[in-house]
Amino acid sequence: MSDIMRPIPFSQLMNWIIEEHKTQGAIFGVRKMVTTNQEGALPIFDERIETPFGPAAGPNTQLAQNIVASYVAGSRFFELKTVQVMDGEELSKCVNKPCIVAQDECYNCEWSTELEVPQAFAEYVKAWFACHLIAREYGLGSPDGFVFNMSVGYDLEGIKSPKVDAYIEGMKDASGSDVWNECRAWALANLDKFEHVDAAFVESIPARVSNSITESTLHGCPPAEIERIATYLITEKGLNTYIKCNPTLLGYEFARQRLNELGFDYIVFDDTHFREDLQWVDAVPMFERLIALCAERGLEFGVKLTNTFPVDVTRNELPSTEMYMSGRSLFSLTIEAARRITEQFDGKLRISYSGGATVYNIRALYDAGIWPVTLATDVLKPGGYERFSQMAGEFGDLDGKPFEGISLEAVTAIQTDSLTNPLYKKPLRPLPDRKVAGKSPLSDCFTTPCRTSCPIQQDIPAYLAAVDEGRYEDALNIIIERNALPFITGTICPHPCGRACERAFYEPEGAQIRASKLKAAREAMTAVLPKLRAQAIANDGERNVAVIGGGPAGLATAFFLTRAGVPVTIFEARDSLGGVVRHVIPEFRIASDDISHDAELCLAFGAKVQLNARVESIDELKAQGFTDVVVATGAWMPGSAGLGEGAELDVLEFLEAAKKGEKLELGEDVVVIGAGNTAMDAARVAKRLAGVKNVRLVYRRTKKQMPADEEELDLALADGVEFCELLAPKALNGSVLICDVMELGEPDASGRRSPVVTGETVELPATTVICAVGEGIDASLYDAAGVEHDRRGRLAATSTGVEGVWAAGDCRRGPATVVEAIADAAEVARAIAGVDFNKYADCNEQVGREDTCYERKGSLCRDKRNCTKTRCLGCGSVCEVCCDVCPNRANVAIKVPGLAKHQVVHVDGMCNECGNCAVFCPYQEGRPYKDKLTLFWSEQDMENSENEGFLAVDEDHFKVRVAGTVRTVSVDAVNTGLPEAVRLTIRAVRDNYSYLLKK
């Protein structure tokens, strides 16, 4: 079955390492191999580590290949996955799958190794031996520059059991074990495979794999039992010992308040574990006794901060009732625990840290005296093990000094920063869904979520590459192929592309898509505009189009049609082009010059303009000889908040008057009703007006449910706008706005909670009430022309059903976005003139830039001011995110002769169905561990799986299952009945990646 891991024999492990390094320049998919500073190695447990970090006990230290991947990426401290008496199949039955979800903060419902204890021992010994060999062979560091740290649990009886005892003793001295002899024998028999490894070196590899241990206990373990276990490990096993503490040490009230303050108020837990777990009053004297005990025996004692945090499953995160939280939501709790322990023990008690560590904070932790640091959540995200490679760069200046204590001042500073740093705060709005529709294809699965989520399918990877290379003119030409308004969309577009960007798993702003568009426009407009004017082609003579409205939809329609040779005349009721963007959106959000640049661009091919020309009848335009009329009049009709009494000011009227500079007397207290981007604009404008002291935004739901873009919410907050949540305006009585107090009801089938009236009311001071809800469409033109629409004036499509009459933008959709208006314009242009927008589609493939894309994997932007490149990951050509995030390296990207792109092969025997690859797969229904062509190592595993895949029968023949049909074929034959991509992929595995095949 796919969730049963099959450990790799040492011979295959080493052949894989050697062959992949020789042919691909990588080891288990890690290209960014790190050579560490041997001279600066830090002493610990009478050993040395060249970097003070590595993988935490968890999915990244379960198998030998996981540990090797961590090592080559720069890790030098390895907290091995916890071993306990319950193991193998017995434990596997208790772990529901999938068991990991790490999209933001991480949750898991697994805890100790799913292997049998002897298998776990063998994996750790193989990894130990392999790391020594590759350290010497590839010059990655001193063979003695890393440490393995055992982790055992969960009670003394289990730890004393024969199999766990044998594990501990074997790790202390592996020389008599079968696996040690297997590793040694292979190395001595294969010295010809190495240049820098000889027999003397092989014999010198120490058989003491570990002399340190971390005690892990289940929640609710009594203090006396914790101390008994530690005492046993110290006195009977002679091990340097750390005790892993739970974040419950902080107390329920503190933890609940802290998570609420940081925006994680939706995480549900009660005080059960806080009451049952180790208490501070018991922990302190226990630690004091154990410190003294270790000192008597010349051993090191410390605490591990912290274990994961038990919380309830409430949103179907995982198929369990309880799960364990880690990652950035845990950081502030863990660092507070570290602060308290540092204060209590005067900085003398050593802390091994794990709880939300990343490249952003790991050096600060070390400088404070907190090390080693272990990580799990961060390396389960895109970039995977190569995130370690960047962290290693933070430690090139180590000086080899031993632990000298922890600075309370430094830890306090880190803790204080955690309260305000966005790295540790949940955004006001829920994270966007970055998935594209559908299931991950068997082959050629690479896709570009940024393009798919963009209403105009902008050629984003193509123009980002051009911007990166300084080819701004090329970039702008690529942009305007589909986007007629690069300045406007480069400034105020809500950029759904950025929300879908895979790079957003690294930094919230993603690949700087919108900013790069604006940069290209500003750098290249002067050069591009004259060339566009020179390209204007003669009118086709068959069509003559009138566009009613000179806003974004009308301008974009004119641009696309005139570029295709169709004559266009724009009829604009006001005295200038630009629509709502020109007349309503505040100058502080978009400069008038930028709007003018886009208007100029849209007229480059000769569109005519009539200003101050209000159109009353579509039929009149047709009578003037226009074959087609495009209605692009926007949505300017005032909405209503439905106040029972009192006057409200229309938001568009207010914003237009403010932008014109008219004198507005609003009084001291302004209330804006609504929660969209227009409401945010109104609130921010009102805040800037003379005489206004307070601006309150009233909304019947919560901040998290507001439709406004996250950045607009943030800006309004920064401007001092007060948010009044869960209030429904009822009546304006003089200068007092009476509101019903609302509460969120029970979730509906979609999980959305609707507000319901509580029966209570509140009063807000309100000298002016601005209504920013429900802007409407003037449907009079439609009605006169016989165009059908819904009760709000909206149309189902750009084609109205009336010959030669079209609609685009807000007058079709209701209040929407500029980019959606451009999408409508493009659809109209396709229908009227057969316009094709695919000129640059092939440029999205990033052919020839694969190395650049690989180089960006795993590297986060440490300094936003100096991150000048877009950081695009080139998903359309080099996605492989399922390979990056698989802790077991079970998804492998291979080059296939005859196919343009790498193909992903799933190795069944290395997968335990943790589900992490599905979390980050760009496809909504994507489950790479189920969807990708699967390599099986045994007949039994193939029979127990439903995956499409293959099994080697002999050197030439493979048993293959595709589309429910099983056949045995020679992949050298052409007429196999297999899809050609499948045949070529299997042949590539046989010919070039034979180390994947279990011998």
Side-chain angles (χ1 to χ4, degrees):
M1 291 175 64
S2 184
D3 68 332
I4 298 177
M5 296 173 289
R6 309 294 187 188
I8 303 173
F10 188 69
S11 58
Q12 184 183 4
L13 183 81
M14 289 307 304
N15 285 333
W16 187 325
I17 291 168
I18 292 168
E19 286 302 311
E20 186 182 4
H21 183 269
K22 180 170 65 177
T23 60
Q24 312 297 325
I27 293 176
F28 291 116
V30 177
R31 295 172 179 82
K32 297 179 179 179
M33 291 182 282
V34 172
T35 300
T36 50
N37 172 22
Q38 299 182 35
E39 299 302 319
L42 307 168
I44 185 171
F45 308 144
D46 76 21
E47 300 177 272
R48 302 178 75 80
I49 52 175
E50 294 163 339
T51 61
F53 67 84
N60 299 99
T61 55
Q62 183 159 231
L63 297 174
Q65 62 266 26
N66 309 20
I67 298 168
V68 170
S70 298
Y71 177 82
V72 299
S75 296
R76 294 297 183 267
F77 185 87
F78 302 85
E79 187 187 46
L80 305 173
K81 190 155 190 182
T82 305
V83 164
Q84 63 151 322
V85 68
M86 184 169 68
D87 62 356
E89 184 178 354
E90 181 186 7
L91 182 126
S92 248
K93 290 178 179 177
C94 301
V95 179
N96 295 326
K97 303 293 179 68
C99 57
I100 298 174
V101 55
Q103 184 179 30
D104 188 5
E105 70 270 16
C106 182
Y107 301 103
N108 73 83
C109 57
E110 50 90 49
W111 55 97
S112 57
T113 181
E114 295 172 45
L115 299 173
E116 295 176 354
V117 172
Q119 289 178 312
F121 168 71
E123 289 300 289
Y124 302 153
V125 172
K126 287 185 287 186
W128 176 259
F129 220 103
C131 287
H132 278 81
L133 293 174
I134 62 180
R136 171 58 61 89
E137 178 65 11
Y138 302 129
L140 299 180
S142 168
D144 296 320
F146 61 94
V147 164
F148 278 17
N149 174 247
M150 288 181 278
S151 175
V152 297
Y154 292 101
D155 57 30
L156 185 56
E157 181 181 358
I159 290 170
K160 284 184 171 182
S161 68
K163 63 180 172 183
V164 178
D165 184 69
Y167 164 77
I168 293 173
E169 292 300 320
M171 293 293 283
K172 289 167 60 180
D173 181 3
S175 60
S177 65
D178 290 343
V179 66
W180 183 267
N181 293 331
E182 174 194 350
C183 298
R184 176 179 173 275
W186 182 91
L188 292 173
N190 289 274
L191 293 174
D192 59 329
K193 296 181 183 292
F194 300 95
E195 293 183 16
H196 306 293
V197 172
D198 56 19
F201 175 77
V202 173
E203 299 290 9
S204 74
I205 295 175
R208 188 185 72 176
V209 179
S210 179
N211 71 340
S212 65
I213 199 159
T214 297
E215 175 193 342
S216 182
T217 57
L218 292 174
H219 292 280
C221 185
E225 176 75 351
I226 296 173
E227 188 166 4
R228 278 194 295 269
I229 295 170
T231 301
Y232 170 78
L233 296 172
I234 294 164
T235 60
E236 300 294 323
K237 295 302 175 183
L239 294 168
N240 300 286
T241 301
Y242 285 3
I243 291 180
K244 185 179 289 186
C245 298
N246 296 321
T248 50
L249 201 62
L250 297 169
Y252 173 78
E253 289 77 12
F254 177 88
R256 180 71 275 170
Q257 181 179 347
R258 176 58 52 85
L259 288 175
N260 289 353
E261 290 170 353
L262 296 176
F264 298 99
D265 52 343
Y266 56 88
I267 295 175
V268 177
F269 55 92
D270 60 24
D271 66 350
T272 301
H273 291 300
F274 292 86
R275 288 185 283 104
E276 296 176 349
D277 283 2
L278 179 66
Q279 302 295 305
W280 181 262
V281 68
D282 298 316
V284 171
M286 178 202 302
F287 295 160
E288 290 172 343
R289 291 190 293 270
L290 293 172
I291 289 170
L293 186 63
C294 279
E296 291 173 5
R297 287 162 171 74
L299 297 171
E300 292 188 27
F301 176 77
V303 292
K304 178 65 182 283
L305 299 179
T306 61
N307 203 348
T308 50
F309 191 121
V311 300
D312 296 342
V313 174
T314 59
R315 293 165 291 137
N316 298 315
E317 298 94 338
L318 290 170
S320 181
T321 56
E322 186 175 67
M323 57 189 179
Y324 302 97
M325 180 191 77
S326 59
R328 66 176 182 145
S329 53
L330 190 57
F331 181 81
S332 191
L333 298 179
T334 303
I335 201 65
E336 171 60 18
R339 189 198 65 77
R340 293 185 188 184
I341 284 176
T342 300
E343 184 176 47
Q344 177 69 41
F345 291 91
D346 197 25
K348 294 182 174 62
L349 178 56
R350 187 159 200 166
I351 296 173
S352 173
Y353 188 92
S354 183
T358 69
V359 71
Y360 295 116
N361 56 38
I362 194 168
R363 182 65 200 224
L365 290 167
Y366 171 79
D367 288 340
I370 296 176
W371 61 277
V373 179
T374 59
L375 306 92
T377 297
D378 198 57
V379 291
L380 288 170
K381 296 179 181 293
Y385 288 99
E386 291 191 334
R387 291 189 176 220
F388 281 140
S389 305
Q390 184 181 21
M391 292 176 204
E394 299 286 309
F395 296 100
D397 61 345
L398 295 182
D399 54 13
K401 291 183 180 179
F403 173 73
E404 297 176 338
I406 301 173
S407 165
L408 178 60
E409 181 182 4
V411 176
T412 301
I414 298 171
Q415 192 274 336
T416 302
D417 176 70
S418 76
L419 303 181
T420 57
N421 194 321
L423 288 172
Y424 314 115
K425 299 185 75 173
K426 192 74 171 183
L428 285 173
R429 299 285 301 282
L431 289 177
D433 184 358
R434 297 192 175 102
K435 303 284 191 176
V436 301
K439 178 182 175 182
S440 175
L442 187 64
S443 304
D444 285 330
C445 57
F446 303 110
T447 187
T448 48
C450 57
R451 292 195 69 216
T452 305
S453 65
C454 175
I456 57 174
Q457 287 79 54
Q458 184 94 70
D459 298 305
I460 294 166
Y463 82 69
L464 290 182
V467 168
D468 271 351
E469 295 165 8
R471 296 184 289 110
Y472 299 114
E473 190 173 340
D474 288 344
L476 185 54
N477 280 322
I478 293 168
I479 291 165
I480 63 176
E481 176 65 18
R482 295 177 184 268
N483 184 347
L485 305 169
F487 284 91
I488 294 174
T489 56
T491 306
I492 62 169
C493 183
H495 54 107
C497 54
R499 294 198 296 270
C501 177
E502 282 286 323
R503 184 76 208 187
F505 286 118
Y506 290 76
E507 301 96 13
E509 69 272 20
Q512 305 181 89
I513 297 170
R514 187 175 68 183
S516 297
K517 183 187 294 131
L518 185 60
K519 183 176 180 65
R522 288 180 171 165
E523 294 285 344
M525 180 66 166
T526 303
V528 168
L529 188 59
K531 294 178 182 179
L532 295 182
R533 288 170 175 158
Q535 293 171 13
I537 60 178
N539 297 336
D540 67 3
E542 295 182 5
R543 312 296 280 262
N544 187 17
V545 178
V547 174
I548 308 174
L555 286 169
T557 301
F559 179 77
F560 294 140
L561 287 174
T562 54
R563 187 173 65 186
V566 177
V568 173
T569 302
I570 299 173
F571 295 86
E572 168 55 46
R574 285 175 168 77
D575 59 4
S576 57
L577 297 172
V580 165
V581 182
R582 167 81 70 186
H583 301 289
V584 171
I585 296 180
E587 187 80 14
F588 59 74
R589 279 195 63 204
I590 183 168
S592 294
D593 285 348
D594 284 340
I595 303 169
S596 297
H597 288 322
D598 275 347
E600 196 175 9
L601 179 71
C602 288
L603 303 180
F605 295 108
K608 298 175 183 178
V609 178
Q610 293 187 25
L611 298 176
N612 301 305
R614 182 173 297 278
V615 174
E616 303 293 347
S617 168
I618 291 172
D619 289 339
E620 287 181 8
L621 291 176
K622 286 195 171 186
Q624 294 175 30
F626 291 105
T627 59
D628 297 88
V629 177
V630 182
V631 181
T633 51
W636 291 82
M637 296 290 286
S640 173
L643 295 180
E645 58 181 289
E648 56 192 55
L649 177 61
D650 174 58
V651 68
L652 299 183
E653 179 184 339
F654 162 67
L655 287 171
E656 188 167 11
K659 192 163 188 178
K660 287 178 179 178
E662 296 179 7
K663 188 175 181 180
L664 297 169
E665 301 287 350
L666 304 184
E668 293 186 355
D669 294 289
V670 174
V671 172
V672 178
I673 300 171
N677 287 342
T678 305
M680 301 302 141
D681 285 346
R684 296 180 67 202
V685 168
K687 192 71 178 172
R688 288 164 165 76
L689 293 179
V692 175
K693 291 184 177 180
N694 305 299
V695 177
R696 297 178 177 89
L697 196 146
V698 171
Y699 183 51
R700 65 195 188 102
R701 297 181 185 271
T702 66
K703 271 184 209 159
K704 290 185 177 181
Q705 296 171 309
M706 289 181 175
D709 298 329
E710 176 88 16
E711 62 187 308
E712 301 304 325
L713 286 167
D714 291 340
L715 290 168
L717 285 169
D719 282 352
V721 174
E722 180 183 346
F723 285 84
C724 300
E725 303 172 290
L726 294 171
L727 295 181
K730 190 174 182 180
L732 179 62
N733 187 354
S735 295
V736 175
L737 181 65
I738 302 169
C739 300
D740 283 323
V741 177
M742 314 296 284
E743 64 181 8
L744 294 181
E746 292 300 315
D748 60 19
S750 68
R752 184 176 174 85
R753 300 173 65 191
S754 297
V756 294
V757 177
T758 64
E760 299 178 23
T761 61
V762 297
E763 296 181 351
L764 298 176
T767 51
T768 300
V769 173
I770 299 172
C771 174
V773 295
E775 296 93 343
I777 300 167
D778 181 353
S780 58
L781 284 173
Y782 295 150
D783 292 336
V787 173
E788 294 184 0
H789 54 80
D790 70 9
R791 63 184 180 85
R792 295 183 181 177
R794 298 174 302 186
L795 279 67
T798 55
S799 175
T800 68
V802 175
E803 181 69 26
V805 179
W806 314 85
D810 289 2
C811 68
R812 178 182 91 75
R813 300 171 179 263
T817 63
V818 171
V819 71
E820 288 172 308
I822 299 170
D824 281 355
E827 188 61 34
V828 170
R830 287 189 189 95
I832 291 176
V835 176
D836 180 12
F837 295 94
N838 293 311
K839 181 178 180 180
Y840 296 102
D842 291 343
C843 298
N844 294 300
E845 294 297 330
Q846 306 265 332
V847 175
R849 300 186 74 251
E850 290 85 355
D851 288 345
T852 299
C853 298
Y854 284 128
E855 181 60 31
R856 290 172 174 170
K857 282 177 174 282
S859 295
L860 284 75
C861 179
R862 294 282 284 107
D863 180 359
K864 299 291 191 294
R865 292 170 299 179
N866 295 320
C867 287
T868 56
K869 299 294 185 181
T870 70
R871 306 193 295 280
C872 174
L873 295 169
C875 302
S877 299
V878 186
C879 176
E880 300 170 19
V881 68
C882 60
C883 305
D884 300 343
V885 303
C886 176
N888 294 353
R889 319 317 286 152
N891 297 319
V892 182
I894 68 171
K895 296 179 182 177
V896 178
L899 299 180
K901 302 176 185 178
H902 287 183
Q903 301 298 313
V904 174
V905 173
H906 177 67
V907 184
D908 174 79
M910 294 162 62
C911 178
N912 66 334
E913 294 194 352
C914 73
N916 197 46
C917 59
V919 172
F920 296 102
C921 177
Y923 291 92
Q924 191 72 50
E925 302 171 37
R927 295 184 301 164
Y929 68 98
K930 294 287 191 183
D931 300 338
K932 303 311 298 178
L933 188 67
T934 299
L935 165 60
F936 295 100
W937 284 341
S938 74
E939 187 83 33
Q940 178 187 5
D941 286 345
M942 189 171 187
E943 288 178 358
N944 289 335
S945 171
E946 296 178 354
N947 288 16
E948 296 180 301
F950 61 100
L951 169 72
V953 176
D954 54 40
E955 290 188 3
D956 295 320
H957 293 85
F958 291 82
K959 185 176 181 179
V960 185
R961 179 170 59 225
V962 175
T965 300
V966 179
R967 52 173 69 86
T968 299
V969 302
S970 168
V971 291
D972 290 321
V974 177
N975 299 318
T976 60
L978 299 175
E980 184 65 358
V982 171
R983 183 184 74 85
L984 292 175
T985 299
I986 299 172
R987 191 171 71 176
V989 170
R990 182 199 65 185
D991 295 346
N992 303 321
Y993 300 86
S994 60
Y995 51 80
L996 299 178
L997 301 170
K998 199 166 188 178
K999 301 296 191 292

